[in-house]
Amino acid sequence: MPSKYQDKPHSVRMTIRSAIGLSLLATLPILMACESADSTKTVGQKLDTAVAKTEQAAADVKDATKASIDSASATLRDGAAQAKDAAERVGVNMNIDAEDVAITASVSAGLIKDPDLSALKIDVDTKQRVVSMYGPAPSEAARERATVIAKAVKGVSSVENKLTVKTS
């Protein structure tokens, strides 16, 4: 007759067998001591009673083992789901950061091409597709061109132009 544990991994079958065996060994002396006080039972009856109690103890150990395995499985599934969620959040944040870096590089490249703005130190920062520009501008017209250049970059949602016009 095939064992009902054949579909379980070998280590689980060995753990269940070991637990049942240990419980049998641990319970047998106790059961025999409890039964020795009753001298009206035959040896066969005492043995039957001990076997029944041992079988019950083994069933209890089996149930407890199954509950522990089920609990551990549920905990592992929850942990895996949490790890997956965290990895997805990190991936989303990395994608957003990569997009912001690309926008900053494109805006800076556009500013360098402008003859009035290329020689100046303009800091460009991008956060969540919002471009902020800091530094000096030689004129109000150059300051406004910087805004136009930044808005023309793909992915820019808005521009905060904080350039200050240099006065001579």
Side-chain angles (χ1 to χ4, degrees):
M1 171 158 88
S3 169
K4 60 184 173 182
Y5 300 109
Q6 284 182 347
D7 61 332
K8 304 284 184 197
H10 179 70
S11 61
V12 172
R13 289 194 314 253
M14 291 304 296
T15 302
I16 292 172
R17 286 181 186 159
S18 297
I20 291 171
L22 286 175
S23 66
L24 290 173
L25 288 175
T27 4
L28 192 58
I30 296 169
L31 294 174
M32 293 305 288
C34 291
E35 292 298 318
S36 66
D38 187 5
S39 60
T40 61
K41 290 186 177 181
T42 66
V43 173
Q45 289 172 329
K46 288 180 185 180
L47 184 59
D48 289 345
T49 303
V51 167
K53 288 182 180 180
T54 302
E55 286 175 346
Q56 182 58 47
D60 292 345
V61 168
K62 176 186 164 194
D63 292 343
T65 302
K66 183 181 181 322
S68 294
I69 290 171
D70 291 345
S71 174
S73 295
T75 301
L76 285 173
R77 278 192 302 275
D78 291 346
Q82 290 174 356
K84 179 183 174 193
D85 290 344
E88 287 173 353
R89 283 193 304 273
V90 168
V92 167
N93 288 340
M94 289 177 65
N95 287 339
I96 290 171
D97 291 343
E99 184 178 13
D100 287 347
V101 168
I103 289 171
T104 298
S106 294
V107 170
S108 295
L111 293 174
I112 289 172
K113 292 177 187 175
D114 187 281
D116 290 334
L117 298 170
S118 65
L120 302 174
K121 174 66 175 139
I122 298 176
D123 292 323
V124 179
D125 294 323
T126 308
K127 185 169 184 170
Q128 297 179 343
R129 300 175 40 203
V130 175
V131 174
S132 299
M133 296 182 290
Y134 307 92
S139 66
E140 187 60 35
R143 182 181 181 280
E144 291 304 318
R145 274 197 319 277
T147 301
V148 170
I149 291 169
K151 283 183 177 180
V153 171
K154 181 180 178 185
V156 173
S157 62
S158 66
V159 176
E160 294 178 1
N161 188 336
K162 299 183 180 180
L163 298 177
T164 56
V165 177
K166 291 195 308 184
T167 56
S168 8

